[in-house]
Amino acid sequence: MSLPDSVTDVVAYSSGNHAQAVARAASRRGMRAVIVMPEDAPALKIEGTRAYGAEIVTYDRYAESREKIGGTIAAERNAELIRPSDFSQLGTEIKRLEEGGADMIHVDVMDGHFVPNLTIGPPVIKALRKHCSLKFDVHLMISPVHKYIEAYADAGADIITVHPEATDNLEDSINKIKDLKKNVGVSLNPETSIDLIKNLLNKIDLVLIMSVNPGFGGQKFMPEVLEKIKELKKIREIEKLNFDIEIDGGINFDNCKIAIEAGANILVSGTTVFKSNDGDIKKNINLLKTK
Ligand code: DX5
Ligand code: ZN
């Protein structure tokens, strides 16, 4: 067994659930993980770990002992540093966001297929919607998305955002959202070009630029996406359009200003809002707005 030469942030040894936890934690932090697993580990565990973007190195557990690779077990502890949001507290957290000065609630919907993570669906959004007067900005990271648009409209979404890769016909999906009298958002992954939506910008209310690969909060901001924001801003001026430009992923107190200067007028923030300054949401929102 040999480990890849390329730069790796986390190397962990595991044969089971722990492998997935480490891979998930690494992915959320934008780290590259290599997980060493015995080749007879359950296929589901191997696939589940790979789904979080980790590279798997397998070995024959009978030929190579754990001791031999002991030196490479660097950072299993990373798994504990990242905890999912407490979904049982969603109602309270939304209240705190509202009181803390948030302008909208951004809801990340993930299907475990379009992105390697699962979150909430229409029934939960519907239940939360009743307790909040802010707009619900629903970011659908699900594929195929088209047939579910109506369910999210019914659940109370005010803005429905789809990814071009998640629908057979982006224009049809845009029209459907419009027919349901909701605002239309289209989201571009870091590697997705704006060419894909240039001819549709006149029908779009919001362009959501992903500044991380979608799937997890807590990842590292990718500054290269600011170029797309600058170009969109230019197009908006030249063509006299008025879509919003929203940025999502890794936004913090150091990069919020450059994102706004580039042209973003809506910032999405999870980790910075909930975790900075001992979770003082009001202070964090205010800092993001004024930095
Ligand atoms: C990625 C998610 C995140 C999240 C923001 O799929 O969409 O970008 O909402 O979380 P932070 O602020 O932790 O990156
Ligand atoms: Zn999002």
Side-chain angles (χ1 to χ4, degrees):
M1 180 207 70
S2 64
L3 292 174
D5 303 323
S6 46
V7 180
T8 299
D9 296 302
V10 179
V11 180
Y13 170 105
S14 173
S15 56
N17 294 334
H18 194 55
Q20 291 179 59
V22 171
R24 183 178 65 228
S27 163
R28 290 183 68 171
R29 302 178 128 206
M31 292 172 154
R32 217 183 87 76
V34 172
I35 314 287
V36 183
M37 302 179 85
E39 65 187 11
D40 60 344
L44 263 176
K45 303 272 187 226
I46 295 183
E47 275 326 302
T49 306
R50 194 172 276 132
Y52 286 109
E55 185 163 349
I56 312 292
V57 174
T58 55
Y59 74 102
D60 178 350
R61 71 165 93 210
Y62 302 107
E64 298 179 74
S65 72
R66 180 171 182 165
E67 283 67 42
K68 272 196 210 157
I69 57 167
T72 64
I73 304 169
E76 292 190 25
R77 273 174 306 147
N78 274 303
E80 295 153 19
L81 299 177
I82 303 204
R83 295 186 188 89
S85 339
D86 186 348
F87 280 106
S88 70
Q89 298 299 319
L90 276 179
T92 318
E93 286 188 347
I94 284 180
K95 267 262 148 330
R96 286 173 65 214
L97 286 170
E98 198 169 3
E99 286 161 13
D103 299 293
M104 288 197 266
I105 303 296
H106 181 87
V107 184
D108 280 326
V109 177
M110 306 186 186
D111 66 353
H113 164 70
F114 184 67
V115 291
N117 197 6
L118 268 175
T119 57
I120 57 172
V124 180
I125 295 175
K126 191 171 190 166
L128 293 169
R129 192 69 192 85
K130 291 185 207 130
H131 303 285
C132 181
S133 61
L134 297 178
K135 275 191 181 171
F136 267 41
D137 168 28
V138 177
H139 177 193
L140 297 180
M141 289 166 270
I142 62 176
S143 167
V145 68
H146 193 80
K147 63 180 172 188
Y148 295 107
I149 288 172
E150 200 162 349
Y152 286 93
D154 290 346
D158 299 283
I159 304 170
I160 298 181
T161 297
V162 299
H163 283 252
E165 297 88 350
T167 176
D168 290 338
N169 188 322
L170 181 59
E171 194 164 5
D172 283 354
S173 294
I174 289 173
N175 289 338
K176 179 151 192 177
I177 299 169
K178 277 194 168 310
D179 290 348
L180 292 160
K181 308 267 179 290
K182 302 294 178 181
N183 284 337
V184 180
V186 176
S187 180
L188 301 181
N189 280 344
E191 73 283 1
T192 305
S193 156
I194 62 174
D195 291 345
L196 228 57
I197 56 166
K198 267 188 183 153
N199 63 334
L200 296 169
L201 282 170
N202 59 340
K203 295 180 145 201
I204 294 174
D205 300 298
L206 174 150
V207 181
L208 171 56
I209 297 294
M210 292 307 301
S211 40
V212 297
N213 283 310
F216 302 95
Q219 300 186 69
K220 223 190 275 162
F221 179 73
M222 298 167 78
E224 58 270 29
V225 307
L226 294 176
E227 288 312 310
K228 280 193 282 195
I229 294 187
K230 289 180 190 161
E231 202 181 332
L232 279 168
K233 189 182 173 188
K234 225 181 269 166
I235 296 173
R236 189 174 58 186
E237 270 159 28
I238 294 168
E239 297 185 14
K240 298 195 173 24
L241 298 169
N242 48 25
F243 52 85
D244 287 310
I245 303 176
E246 182 175 37
I247 185 163
D248 183 6
I251 291 292
N252 58 35
F253 303 132
D254 296 324
N255 57 31
C256 55
K257 193 164 176 211
I258 49 168
I260 290 168
E261 280 169 359
N265 63 307
I266 302 173
L267 306 178
V268 174
S269 170
T271 306
T272 299
V273 164
F274 287 107
K275 303 261 167 74
S276 300
N277 295 308
D278 294 325
D280 186 340
I281 288 180
K282 193 170 191 161
K283 179 173 181 178
N284 296 333
I285 291 176
N286 189 45
L287 281 171
L288 284 171
K289 286 185 177 184
T290 53
K291 274 252 176 195

